[in-house]
Amino acid sequence: MTYQEQVGQLAQMIAGHGGAWAGIGAESVVRMRLQNRFRSGVDIARYTAAIMRRDMAAYDADPAAYTQSLGCWHGFIGQQKLIAIKKHFGTTERRYLYLSGWMIAALRSEFGPLPDQSMHEKTSVPALIEELYTFLKQADARELGMMFRDLDSARQAGNQVDEQRLAQAIDNYQTHVVPIIADIDAGFGNAEATYLLAKKMIEAGACAIQIENQVSDEKQCGHQDGKVTVPHEDFLAKIRAVRYAFLELGVDDGIIVARTDSLGAGLTKQIAYSRTPGDLGDQYNAFLDCDEVADLATVNGDVIINRDGRLMRPKRLPSNLFQFREGTGADRCVLDCITALQNGADLLWIETEKPHIQQIAGMVDRIRKVIPNAKLVYNNSPSFNWTLNFRQQVYDLWASEGKDVAAYDRARLMSVDYDGTELAIEADEKIRTFQKDAAARAGIFHHLITLPTYHTAALSTDNLAREYFGEAGMLGYVLNVQRQEIRQGIACVKHQNMSGSDIGDDHKEYFAGEAALKAGGAHNTMNQFAA
């Protein structure tokens, strides 16, 4: 139904109440409804899940149609990201939000800054999802409100062409609400705890939940040492728990992203239960680093397993953890991924120690022999030194091709001395095309950066502090912040408008008519930024 049709229908309904509703404006109600399109988080989850499913199908047809996101640790940051995307690209298509457990731990925990080890309050995850969508919905209300004002101005000026154009723009309005891929870490407990938290996340609006195969109480950041994985059956129970949460809430298209940390995890807390040789538990145990037992009298209080008819003692550390054989990480990743997809996961996440397309592609090729349409979510992590990694990759490529690399010290390639060199330029080009190339070659459907806004907040604050508290004084703010906001058309230069002041004025006028005491009058200093 078009904007004008909605107004007409509502006007008839209001008229049916006689004089009792005479003070209610039909068009004002329609505007408020459009500004509050999503009634609940579950509505958002259903809407955004459908977007992701369409995007996944589009990627299957053409790997150039990959998707992207940035991690955001506050609703305002997510809002400004989507406003910027609409401003620069005219559409939010194939752009999502990522919610990082690392940033919740470091920035949102009531305990204060914490490492990424699932020690933060589990309820802070759905709370941030809800906050992000609150800010995105407010961005819709603000932008639509400005369109409504322009529509009123066109009417007052008698400009029917502009009036028709604006009405059509309102009918075709694209929301700032986009999918969030939300990090549930290792599930914060057993499968029941995972299910309960997943429900809270979905009720807040999450359409995609990422879960990893680490032990909950041993969980480490994917780029730290000491990671401990769980047997497949334990992980699959949690995948099923998340799926039950989606289905219970009626989000039938909900997305589960199964993350494996096996590439960097050399430890397990449990020996998997095996019923028959070659089953999933037996395959997991086959990766254990073991010593053959020749004499049972030499073992005391140890676990002994049967491997191909031989008694084997898995190597156990003083921490009571068992270790895997070195060099088995890629094989374990492949088995993890195939198993997860065969048991209800939709997308994969392989946590790697470096951004190397061929390394990722080698595993994806093996997975796709079993699951042809397997797709990855990939962390373009700030934990990688992208400059050094890609310069070393180019160095190694040149050396293998017989190209002279005598002018370069591989160990020092991060040095500023190399910034303008041919090698550095080629490395930067590979970084620029990494997402496109990896989407085409390595099955990466979604590229994200987990912690970008953590780093941008630190960098911009450092720059402002250096200038403002130094010789530049107030010019440090004016020159590098406010003037740049004005020159670049950053909406936040009118911070009162961004915070909802104009929306409040609209509501005051709806409720009180001419008696409304509005903030946006001639003496509002925000008018200084009209030009």
Side-chain angles (χ1 to χ4, degrees), residues 49-72:
I51 291 174
M52 279 196 71
R53 291 290 179 180
R54 288 195 298 270
D55 287 347
M56 289 161 66
Y59 175 82
D60 287 339
D62 179 7
Y66 61 89
T67 58
Q68 298 168 291
S69 67
L70 296 173
C72 298

Side-chain angles (χ1 to χ4, degrees), residues 370-430:
V370 182
I371 315 286
N373 68 339
K375 293 179 283 296
L376 266 63
V377 171
Y378 187 71
N379 179 9
N380 292 221
S381 176
S383 293
F384 303 144
N385 185 330
W386 286 77
T387 301
L388 180 61
N389 266 289
F390 276 83
R391 287 182 182 181
Q392 288 181 339
Q393 288 181 39
V394 172
Y395 178 98
D396 294 341
L397 176 64
W398 284 6
S400 70
E401 295 173 344
K403 190 169 182 176
D404 184 11
V405 292
Y408 303 97
D409 180 348
R410 190 180 187 280
R412 294 185 59 255
L413 287 175
M414 185 63 209
S415 171
V416 68
D417 297 339
Y418 295 117
D419 281 0
T421 63
E422 181 186 358
L423 184 146
I425 293 169
E426 183 169 330
D428 281 354
E429 178 62 13
K430 288 184 177 296

Side-chain angles (χ1 to χ4, degrees), residues 266-526:
L267 303 170
T268 183
K269 199 169 189 176
Q270 300 167 255
I271 293 176
Y273 176 68
S274 174
R275 296 177 179 83
T276 59
D279 65 12
L280 201 52
D282 194 37
Q283 291 179 67
Y284 186 80
N285 294 337
F287 293 114
L288 293 169
D289 193 3
C290 300
D291 292 322
E292 186 169 4
V293 177
D295 182 1
L296 287 175
T298 64
V299 296
N300 180 48
D302 270 324
V303 174
I304 306 297
I305 65 173
N306 174 15
R307 179 179 289 173
D308 299 326
R310 296 180 299 163
L311 293 180
M312 308 292 290
R313 178 176 58 188
K315 292 182 179 177
R316 185 160 53 176
L317 305 178
S319 60
N320 210 31
L321 298 171
F322 298 96
Q323 67 185 41
F324 293 111
R325 298 194 314 275
E326 288 190 15
T328 62
D331 292 338
R332 285 184 280 125
C333 276
V334 170
L335 180 60
D336 294 344
C337 291
I338 292 171
T339 302
L341 291 176
Q342 289 176 332
N343 288 273
D346 302 288
L347 295 169
L348 303 171
W349 173 318
I350 300 176
E351 194 72 278
T352 67
E353 82 288 357
K354 59 181 180 294
H356 195 290
I357 291 175
Q358 292 308 316
Q359 178 197 36
I360 305 162
M363 290 182 279
V364 171
D365 286 347
R366 294 171 61 189
I367 297 164
R368 284 185 161 178
K369 287 181 180 178
V370 182
I371 315 286
N373 68 339
K375 293 179 283 296
L376 266 63
V377 171
Y378 187 71
N379 179 9
N380 292 221
S381 176
S383 293
F384 303 144
N385 185 330
W386 286 77
T387 301
L388 180 61
N389 266 289
F390 276 83
R391 287 182 182 181
Q392 288 181 339
Q393 288 181 39
V394 172
Y395 178 98
D396 294 341
L397 176 64
W398 284 6
S400 70
E401 295 173 344
K403 190 169 182 176
D404 184 11
V405 292
Y408 303 97
D409 180 348
R410 190 180 187 280
R412 294 185 59 255
L413 287 175
M414 185 63 209
S415 171
V416 68
D417 297 339
Y418 295 117
D419 281 0
T421 63
E422 181 186 358
L423 184 146
I425 293 169
E426 183 169 330
D428 281 354
E429 178 62 13
K430 288 184 177 296
I431 294 171
R432 187 185 73 81
T433 64
F434 173 80
Q435 294 189 340
K436 174 175 68 72
D437 296 340
R441 175 65 188 91
I444 298 178
F445 158 73
H446 186 76
H447 283 277
L448 62 91
I449 308 178
T450 42
L451 322 175
T453 52
Y454 177 90
H455 292 278
T456 55
L459 179 62
S460 62
T461 303
D462 180 271
N463 291 336
L464 176 60
R466 182 189 65 229
E467 296 295 317
Y468 177 73
F469 293 104
E471 290 298 317
M474 191 59 194
L475 183 62
Y477 172 77
V478 173
L479 180 63
N480 297 316
V481 181
Q482 188 180 82
R483 193 175 300 169
Q484 295 308 311
E485 288 180 305
I486 295 169
R487 298 286 186 255
Q488 296 179 42
I490 305 300
C492 272
V493 73
K494 297 182 180 181
H495 49 258
Q496 305 287 13
N497 167 270
M498 184 57 64
S499 70
S501 177
D502 287 345
I503 298 172
D505 274 359
D506 290 339
H507 290 173
K508 290 175 185 178
E509 189 169 12
Y510 299 163
F511 305 154
E514 293 181 357
L517 182 63
K518 297 192 289 185
H523 298 293
N524 190 318
T525 55
M526 191 169 66

Side-chain angles (χ1 to χ4, degrees), residues 31-39 137 141 144:
R31 291 180 176 187
M32 293 174 78
R33 286 180 175 179
L34 291 173
Q35 288 174 306
N36 187 28
R37 170 182 174 182
F38 299 100
R39 302 294 188 264
K137 289 189 291 183
L144 281 165

Side-chain angles (χ1 to χ4, degrees), residues 206-228:
C207 73
I209 294 177
Q210 165 217 326
I211 186 166
E212 61 199 64
N213 68 336
Q214 292 192 52
V215 177
S216 285
D217 57 354
E218 304 286 352
K219 183 260 188 312
Q220 295 274 25
C221 172
H223 295 281
Q224 292 181 321
D225 205 353
K227 292 183 288 184
V228 185

